[in-house]
């Protein structure tokens, strides 16, 4: 646990661990980080993602996917 002045615990994970949590490949997360879609920190030459940031991104992605699937289901229902 790293602590910044006046802040609570800031748990970070490597891009490799973040990829496992998101169930994606590391190069995909690297692209997200380079595009600025996923905030990361450079700690001792390694990219680290705050766990809170990662989980927020994952929830947003999952919500977007669920909405898109529901919409496709409705479209499919109308076509049958």
């Amino acid at each position: 646990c790293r602590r910044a002045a006046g802040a609570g615990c800031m748990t970070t994970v490597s891009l490799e661990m973040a990829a496992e949590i998101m169930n994606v490949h590391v190069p995909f997360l690297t692209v997200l980080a380079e595009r600025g879609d996923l905030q990361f920190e450079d700690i001792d030459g390694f990219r680290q993602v705050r766990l809170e940031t990662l989980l927020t991104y994952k929830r947003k992605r999952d919500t977007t996917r669920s909405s898109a699937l529901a919409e496709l289901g409705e479209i499919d229902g109308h076509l049958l």
Side-chain angles (χ1 to χ4, degrees), residues 25-42:
H25 294 283
V26 174
F28 176 74
L29 282 187
T30 302
V31 169
L32 290 180
E34 289 173 350
R35 283 194 325 208
D37 294 340
L38 183 63
Q39 301 296 321
F40 70 94
E41 301 174 35
D42 188 18

Side-chain angles (χ1 to χ4, degrees), residues 14-16 40-49:
S14 67
L15 282 185
E16 290 79 12
F40 70 94
E41 301 174 35
D42 188 18
I43 300 174
D44 297 327
F46 296 97
R47 290 181 177 165
Q48 299 281 310
V49 179

